[in-house]
Amino acid sequence: MRRGVAALLLALATAGPAAAADGFPSHPVRIIVPFGPGSGSDIVARRLGLALEQRWKQSVVIDNRPGAQGMIGTEALKSSAPDGYTLGISTNSTHAVAPYVTKNLPYDTLADFEHICLIGVGGAVALVPKDSPFRTLPELAAYARAHPGDVFFGHADTISQIPGELLRAQAGIPMQGVPYKASTGVVTDLIGGRLQLAFFNYMTATAQVATGLVMPMAVTEAARNPRWPDVPAVSETYPGFEVRFFVGISAPRGVPPEIVAAIRSAIEQALQDPALKRPLEDTGLTFLRPPAGGYRGFIAAEAERWRAHLKAAGIVPQ
């Protein structure tokens, strides 16, 4: 009799995690986006959220928490309950760059999170106002050198900041970066002529170019992107120049492994859906499976890449 009870208890204990994963999610899931509405991260999160709603038959709520280059939203993710019902967008800004630009970062980019799934990578596009006198980077560089102090670029995250800082440092272009809380402010001032240049990730840039109010000048990937074939790479003017971003999904540390696996499986299935994949691919996003070591290992490798970018740009922790 005692053996039977012990066997039953053992069976219940081992079945518990699997049963929890089978029933996940049983109520709405939240995705924290550490950047503002309209940002590339926001666009990815909203499209992914719709795809997951169809699979989970539960609402997926997008929670924008912009500020401090994504650190405010990422700290909120870290502090959330580790039950799988709060996920977050993780990017180069929040997890590859943050340790090297902030002295007292309120989270550990690897230890404080369950890094669930890489979604994709891409570059940035240098945009100028539609009536800009500059059509190429050499034209803008020549003007900046002739008029030091008159050229400004705006940025709200690292993929919009680092290309400008690298151009300033490596190419000797005297232009000044202006920080913004969200990309919407950068767009407003670029269109209004208060900024001469701004870099945006592909998703945001696609939406802005479609308005006809701005024009693409160059991309920051090593070569031209097939979906932006007429836009030259910065490296065509300044050899060796390359800056790319990544975007993925993470959760607070401590989410049960079976729940992490269930979320990863759902996201990977969603990424095969053309309704999610094609619109993002059309902007230039490249869907990429992480190498051996998974998304956590990918982030660690990208951190080394970005540390080199920051060193070249002369950016030190503040």
Side-chain angles (χ1 to χ4, degrees):
M1 182 69 175
R2 290 179 179 175
R3 289 182 180 176
V5 171
L8 177 60
L9 291 175
L10 178 60
L12 290 173
T14 54
D22 288 343
F24 180 88
S26 60
H27 57 268
V29 174
R30 177 174 59 138
I31 299 179
I32 294 177
V33 178
F35 303 101
S39 63
S41 296
D42 181 69
I43 293 169
V44 170
R46 291 181 188 278
R47 289 193 175 277
L48 178 62
L50 291 173
L52 291 176
E53 284 182 341
Q54 295 176 358
R55 282 158 179 77
W56 284 339
K57 308 304 179 186
Q58 291 288 346
S59 297
V60 176
V61 179
I62 305 303
D63 182 3
N64 294 94
R65 300 283 189 94
Q69 299 276 28
M71 286 182 281
I72 291 175
T74 304
E75 184 178 12
L77 177 64
K78 169 198 168 184
S79 302
S80 300
D83 55 10
Y85 285 90
T86 299
L87 308 176
I89 291 288
S90 45
T91 71
N92 41 280
S93 290
T94 60
H95 283 78
V97 176
Y100 307 122
V101 298
T102 304
K103 289 182 178 179
N104 297 307
L105 189 67
Y107 56 84
D108 186 299
T109 58
L110 295 178
D112 287 337
F113 302 91
E114 305 292 343
H115 292 301
I116 296 175
C117 185
L118 172 66
I119 295 174
V121 300
V125 184
L127 299 183
V128 296
K130 68 173 183 177
D131 56 354
S132 172
F134 315 118
R135 292 295 184 269
T136 67
L137 277 177
E139 290 177 352
L140 183 143
Y143 179 86
R145 293 187 183 107
H147 303 82
D150 287 353
V151 175
F152 298 88
F153 69 95
H155 58 83
D157 55 18
T158 53
I159 196 60
S160 59
Q161 178 186 14
I162 298 305
E165 297 291 358
L166 284 176
L167 276 175
R168 179 187 55 76
Q170 293 182 353
I173 301 176
M175 57 183 184
Q176 182 177 339
V178 181
Y180 289 76
K181 183 177 180 179
S183 60
T184 50
V186 181
V187 171
T188 298
D189 282 358
L190 181 66
I191 294 172
R194 289 175 286 278
L195 299 171
Q196 286 68 50
L197 175 73
F199 290 88
F200 295 93
N201 63 70
Y202 285 148
M203 291 81 73
T204 304
T206 297
Q208 296 307 320
V209 170
T211 68
L213 299 175
V214 295
M215 301 181 304
M217 176 184 283
V219 298
T220 66
E221 288 185 285
R224 296 191 186 200
N225 188 290
R227 296 171 183 85
W228 296 74
D230 298 327
V231 182
V234 176
S235 63
E236 294 175 32
T237 302
Y238 303 105
F241 190 100
E242 179 188 7
V243 181
R244 73 174 188 179
F245 69 85
F246 69 86
V247 59
I249 292 291
S250 300
R253 180 184 180 183
V255 176
E258 61 278 1
I259 298 297
V260 169
I263 296 170
R264 180 182 297 114
S265 177
I267 294 174
E268 289 177 346
Q269 291 175 28
L271 293 179
Q272 301 305 312
D273 185 348
L276 168 64
K277 198 171 184 179
R278 285 177 184 166
L280 294 177
E281 283 183 326
D282 286 345
T283 68
L285 184 69
T286 299
F287 288 82
L288 187 69
R289 293 186 65 86
Y295 186 31
R296 179 181 296 273
F298 177 87
I299 289 175
E302 285 295 297
E304 291 303 309
R305 176 198 294 267
W306 278 90
R307 180 164 64 172
H309 287 333
L310 295 167
K311 182 178 180 181
I315 297 175
V316 298
Q318 299 295 323

